[in-house]
């Protein structure tokens, strides 16, 4: 029986043979459905963050307002666990799974915006030497008009009067890294800007490569998510602007990598913000003075989540436009195609048409005989299955059914997916059509009788909130020992995928 992607390739080749290759793809570009093929995993509640509904007026909060808008959970090497509420609070979760406020980020950022899905206190990460240096980093979004701060970067061709929102990366210095309540100082690292009507696709992720060791070229370098800053469909006159993508004099669509230390400390080359450009970035030494050296890779619509496998392979979850969601393997200096490509299809916008239009690639590009200079996804699905893609991780925990899998999901409907990790890495071969199939993971809970009851993430969220909600708002995090945590920006619950053999004595999540 043909796999899902083999079916698509045969269909595309048949279109070429019949002369129909220029036909626009209006819907369902990947016809075969994603199905459940036997992987079933227990999901267990761990802790619910405090209810922050009403913390600010409804007009200043995202609608529908969830219990708590948790999107990241992170473990420190010392065993402490932290989680954010995008409404502006960083929590420490104690060994008894009781959350307490570690830092109230909202208090110090009065211009922050909270009324969009990607807004407020968006993300955070601890420096790999936090136990010694007390440094961690946050991302938040602010309003532009009336803001007393001036952005470090404005998209080319625009001026300060066009700026609608700011995206801010802040370094925090804890005076005592072992303390359970933050006291210390902060420093602004970077302030970028958006010029579209709606705050969407801001800088979302800040990450350190967890595999890098002291002395490695990648050690201590901060990565940011790659985003078009909503030039695709952010509303207003500045949206749908293809000329703002596919360029190296702009951070639009780019994953940045930089040393967050000030050049006053390192003595190195200053970037757009108060950080140092690493010469290991390929674009830092391409000989073009207009190229931004902090660019690590580019051509993403919204690579809002980044992760690494233990062998150093870097993954990005890239949110699509009208048709395709992507998982990409990210490499230094490469171009991932947006707005030219969505998945392994060509967009109409680059032809002078509309982004909603998709066209098949030429056969020799699809089969890898002809190179077009772009890097293509190693997993993808279309909007018949869901939208948009959320975090993904190479699994190395204790659940046997997930060994050798890359686990990711869909934000809106909460479906959890898996693809074969080795096949995904093999698909990183310069042949766009060699994309492995995806399957859906069946979640289940244990009833009081210990019987298994199949559930979906959406059902769990609805049950916790006591109402039927329009979206699950799924995000995935991982523990320091490789297990997976599922969270929702609706119900504020942190859940854990657990091995079936541990069902009756599941770990506290450390």
């Amino acid at each position: 029986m043909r796999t899902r992607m083999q079916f698509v390739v045969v269909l595309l080749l048949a279109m070429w043979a019949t002369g129909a290759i220029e036909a626009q793809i209006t819907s369902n570009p990947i016809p075969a459905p994603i199905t459940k093929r036997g992987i079933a995993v227990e999901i267990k509640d761990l802790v619910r963050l405090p209810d922050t509904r009403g913390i600010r007026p409804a007009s200043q909060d995202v609608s529908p307002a969830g219990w708590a808008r948790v999107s990241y959970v992170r473990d420190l090497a010392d065993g402490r666990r932290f989680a954010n509420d995008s409404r502006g609070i960083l929590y420490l979760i104690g060994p008894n799974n009781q959350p307490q406020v570690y830092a109230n980020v909202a208090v110090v950022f009065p211009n922050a915006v909270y009324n969009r899905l990607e807004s407020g206190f968006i993300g955070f990460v601890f420096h790999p030497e936090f136990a010694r240096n007390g440094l961690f980093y946050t991302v938040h979004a602010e309003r532009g008009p009336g803001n007393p701060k001036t952005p470090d970067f404005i998209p080319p061709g625009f001026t300060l009067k066009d700026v609608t929102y700011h995206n801010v990366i802040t370094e925090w210095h804890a005076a005592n890294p072992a303390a359970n309540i933050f006291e210390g100082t902060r420093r602004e690292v970077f302030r970028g800007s958006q010029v579209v009507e709606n705050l969407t696709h801001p800088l979302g992720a800040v990450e350190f490569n967890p595999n890098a060791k002291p002395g490695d070229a990648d050690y201590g370098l901060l990565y940011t998510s790659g985003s078009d800053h909503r030039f695709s469909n952010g509303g207003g006159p500045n949206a749908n602007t293809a000329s703002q993508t596919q360029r190296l004099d702009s951070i639009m669509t780019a994953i940045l990598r930089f040393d967050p230390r000030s050049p006053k400390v390192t003595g190195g080359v200053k970037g757009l913000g108060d950080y140092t450009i690493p010469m290991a970035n390929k674009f830092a030494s391409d000989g073009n003075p207009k190229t931004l050296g902090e660019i690590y890779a580019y051509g993403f619509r919204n690579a809002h989540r980044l992760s690494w496998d233990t062998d150093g392979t870097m993954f990005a979850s890239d949110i699509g436009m009208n048709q395709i969601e992507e998982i990409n393997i990210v490499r230094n200096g490469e171009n991932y195609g947006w707005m030219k490509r969505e998945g392994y299809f060509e967009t109409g916008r680059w032809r002078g048409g509309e982004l909603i239009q998709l066209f098949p690639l030429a056969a020799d590009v699809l089969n890898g005989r002809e190179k077009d200079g772009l890097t293509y996804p190693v997993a993808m699905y279309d909007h018949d299955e869901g939208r948009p893609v959320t975090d993904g991780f190479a699994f190395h925990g204790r659940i046997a059914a997930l060994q050798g899998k890359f686990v990711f999901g869909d934000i809106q409907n909460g479906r959890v997916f898996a693809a074969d990790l080795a096949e995904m890495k093999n698909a990183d071969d310069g042949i766009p059509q060699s994309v492995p199939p995806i399957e859906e993971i069946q979640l289940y809970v244990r009833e009081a009788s210990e019987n298994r009851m199949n559930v979906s993430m959406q059902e769990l969220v609805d049950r916790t909130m006591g109402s039927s909600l329009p979206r699950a708002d799924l995000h995935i995090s991982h523990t320091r020992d490789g297990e997976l945590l599922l969270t929702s920006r609706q119900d504020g619950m942190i859940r854990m995928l657990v091995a079936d053999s541990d069902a009756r004595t599941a770990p506290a999540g450390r």
Side-chain angles (χ1 to χ4, degrees):
M1 191 171 91
R2 291 188 177 122
T3 67
R4 172 184 175 84
M5 290 303 167
Q6 286 172 328
F7 179 88
V8 176
V9 171
V10 170
L11 176 64
L12 291 174
L13 293 177
M15 291 172 67
W16 265 92
T18 60
I21 193 61
E22 288 301 313
Q24 178 186 334
I25 302 168
T26 57
S27 64
N28 199 20
I30 305 174
I34 296 175
T35 60
K36 298 170 184 175
R37 303 207 300 270
I39 297 179
V41 180
E42 183 185 0
I43 184 168
K44 186 178 181 67
D45 291 353
L46 289 185
V47 57
R48 195 180 194 188
L49 295 189
D51 183 0
T52 54
R53 294 173 297 182
I55 198 172
R56 58 183 45 83
S59 62
Q60 298 176 24
D61 205 344
V62 69
S63 180
W67 179 277
R69 295 174 58 200
V70 54
S71 52
Y72 280 96
V73 184
R74 297 193 186 272
D75 288 358
L76 289 181
D78 64 11
R80 288 182 294 173
R81 172 167 291 161
F82 293 81
N84 75 310
D85 182 333
S86 294
R87 292 192 178 108
I89 303 171
L90 180 59
Y91 290 99
L92 167 65
I93 300 173
N96 58 351
N97 276 333
Q98 291 297 312
Q100 68 176 69
V101 176
Y102 177 75
N104 190 330
V105 175
V107 168
V108 297
F109 296 131
N111 292 304
V113 179
Y114 298 91
N115 63 354
R116 300 288 294 177
L117 287 171
E118 292 176 281
S119 67
F121 172 26
I122 303 170
F124 70 99
V125 70
F126 292 93
H127 192 280
E129 295 183 9
F130 175 78
R132 182 183 63 81
N133 63 25
L135 298 179
F136 67 97
Y137 299 84
T138 62
V139 182
H140 76 280
E142 295 183 358
R143 62 184 62 88
N147 198 309
K149 298 290 187 70
T150 300
D152 299 312
F153 173 82
I154 299 173
F158 296 94
T159 65
L160 186 60
K161 67 180 178 58
D162 300 303
V163 172
T164 51
Y165 301 99
H166 294 184
N167 303 159
V168 187
I169 299 176
T170 303
E171 176 185 87
W172 303 72
H173 180 202
N176 177 8
N180 289 335
I181 298 176
F182 173 80
E183 290 185 3
T185 59
R186 67 183 188 277
R187 173 179 70 94
E188 188 165 296
V189 177
F190 176 66
R191 180 176 290 262
S193 65
Q194 295 182 243
V195 297
V196 295
E197 182 177 318
N198 301 317
L199 174 63
T200 319
H201 297 186
L203 293 177
V206 279
E207 298 285 352
F208 291 98
N209 179 349
N211 304 303
K213 306 299 181 186
D216 294 347
D218 211 23
Y219 186 72
L221 299 186
L222 189 68
Y223 289 79
T224 70
S225 56
S227 168
D228 67 352
H229 289 61
R230 204 58 163 190
F231 270 115
S232 53
N233 61 342
N238 299 330
N240 201 12
T241 310
S243 61
Q244 285 293 329
T245 64
Q246 293 296 301
R247 55 196 301 166
L248 293 172
D249 62 344
S250 172
I251 67 169
M252 298 301 106
T253 79
I255 291 173
L256 308 181
R257 180 178 72 165
F258 53 80
D259 185 334
R261 294 177 298 172
S262 172
K264 297 175 184 177
V265 174
T266 65
V269 177
K270 183 182 182 303
L272 292 169
D274 190 20
Y275 57 76
T276 303
I277 293 176
M279 292 300 104
N281 287 358
K282 288 186 178 179
F283 292 123
S285 56
D286 73 348
N288 186 339
K290 293 184 178 181
T291 298
L292 298 179
E294 49 265 74
I295 294 176
Y296 183 75
Y298 71 112
F300 301 95
R301 182 171 181 265
N302 188 14
H304 70 130
R305 292 293 189 267
L306 310 173
S307 68
W308 284 259
D309 195 3
T310 52
D311 65 359
T313 302
M314 179 181 174
F315 294 94
S317 298
D318 191 16
I319 293 175
M321 177 75 178
N322 293 292
Q323 300 278 12
I324 303 296
E325 304 297 316
E326 305 180 8
I327 302 293
N328 290 278
I329 288 178
V330 183
R331 288 188 300 275
N332 193 355
E334 300 206 358
N335 179 359
Y336 291 78
W338 184 254
M339 290 181 178
K340 287 185 174 182
R341 303 285 186 266
E342 186 176 355
Y344 57 33
F345 301 93
E346 183 179 358
T347 69
R349 183 66 183 89
W350 203 258
R351 297 177 170 206
E354 301 299 326
L355 275 174
I356 196 171
Q357 298 171 322
L358 286 188
F359 298 87
L361 290 180
D364 281 348
V365 174
L366 192 63
N367 62 30
R369 293 192 185 96
E370 179 184 327
K371 304 302 180 183
D372 61 5
L374 304 176
T375 304
Y376 287 89
V378 294
M380 64 185 197
Y381 63 95
D382 66 20
H383 287 182
D384 286 357
E385 304 295 341
R387 70 181 79 177
V389 67
T390 191
D391 329 53
F393 295 92
F395 185 78
H396 295 292
R398 292 179 296 171
I399 302 171
L402 299 183
Q403 292 296 333
K405 303 293 185 181
F406 185 85
V407 179
F408 58 108
D410 187 83
I411 292 176
Q412 184 161 320
N413 62 28
R415 297 175 74 187
V416 183
F417 299 133
D420 186 89
L421 186 58
E423 289 182 6
M424 290 174 68
K425 292 177 180 179
N426 289 337
D428 187 33
D429 57 3
I431 303 173
Q433 70 186 27
S434 61
V435 184
I438 296 168
E439 61 183 300
E440 183 175 2
I441 296 171
Q442 175 63 64
L443 303 177
Y444 67 87
V445 295
R446 291 279 179 177
E447 299 177 307
S449 63
E450 293 296 331
N451 291 328
R452 287 171 43 167
M453 181 175 70
N454 290 341
V455 294
S456 68
M457 185 67 179
Q458 183 71 65
E459 289 170 339
L460 291 174
V461 171
D462 288 351
R463 186 182 307 167
T464 302
M465 292 298 289
S467 62
S468 180
L469 300 177
R471 52 189 290 142
D473 260 334
L474 170 68
H475 280 294
I476 304 175
S477 300
H478 68 107
T479 69
R480 72 178 190 275
D481 54 357
E483 307 300 337
L484 296 179
L485 303 170
L486 273 57
T487 61
S488 167
R489 287 184 295 186
Q490 296 288 353
D491 70 356
M493 184 71 76
I494 299 173
R495 300 174 171 91
M496 187 178 188
L497 299 184
V498 298
D500 187 73
S501 60
D502 294 338
R504 301 188 185 189
T505 55
R510 288 298 192 272

